[in-house]
Amino acid sequence: MKMNHVGIMVGDMDKAVEFYTNALGLQVVMGNTKVEEERETAIGRMCVAVFGEGFKGFNIAHLVTTDGIGVELFEMKERQERHEVDFSRIGIFHFCLQTDDFHGVIERTENFGGKVRMDIMRYHPEDNNKQAKMVYLEDPFGNLFELYSHTYEETYASEYE
């Protein structure tokens, strides 16, 4: 099994594309595209099946990480202003990105309207040979994402406190 893509609801497509490309370094595969509710095309029928009757349409853009994982951005015509995180609800609550430019990404996240949710944490502060760091951030719309300085395997290869 391989990860293919993740879909993220955003409040403003232009601002979202700017954030995900300039702050996080993703590349645009397909720019902002309008999708209307209709049943004449395969895409139209698929969208009705996924979003239900009366979804009113949306804007979509497709981006990709440097390792080829897709990020689908959706700006629904009818939407909330911000994502409200409810940790009591079942479901996906964040995605995680890895970078060699850890502090630069944090700075750009804030510069492009995102938010730092916590202090940077090291998984193994007792061991100077293990420098894996993480932090939770938000995009400009309140979507949570985690940032890692090392691979998943490097981060969890041994126990941590």
Side-chain angles (χ1 to χ4, degrees), residues 8-10 20 82-83 95 137-139 141-145:
I8 302 170
M9 297 291 191
V10 300
Y20 282 90
R82 288 186 57 78
H83 173 71
F95 60 95
L137 307 166
E138 287 181 14
D139 74 5
F141 316 102
N143 293 304
L144 292 179
F145 65 98

Side-chain angles (χ1 to χ4, degrees), residues 56-74:
K56 306 275 191 280
F58 56 88
N59 291 321
I60 189 169
H62 297 271
L63 288 73
V64 68
T65 63
T66 57
D67 62 343
I69 305 302
V71 174
E72 235 175 353
L73 301 176
F74 293 86

Side-chain angles (χ1 to χ4, degrees), residues 10-36:
V10 300
D12 177 305
M13 186 59 74
D14 293 333
K15 187 173 185 177
V17 170
E18 178 184 56
F19 178 82
Y20 282 90
T21 57
N22 293 323
L24 304 184
L26 278 64
Q27 297 296 313
V28 174
V29 173
M30 184 181 90
N32 188 359
T33 303
K34 185 180 296 292
V35 176
E36 298 292 336

Side-chain angles (χ1 to χ4, degrees), residues 30-57:
M30 184 181 90
N32 188 359
T33 303
K34 185 180 296 292
V35 176
E36 298 292 336
E37 183 176 354
E38 50 87 7
R39 287 185 162 70
E40 288 74 46
T41 67
I43 295 295
R45 290 187 297 276
M46 183 268 304
C47 289
V48 170
V50 171
F51 298 110
E53 298 284 337
F55 70 86
K56 306 275 191 280

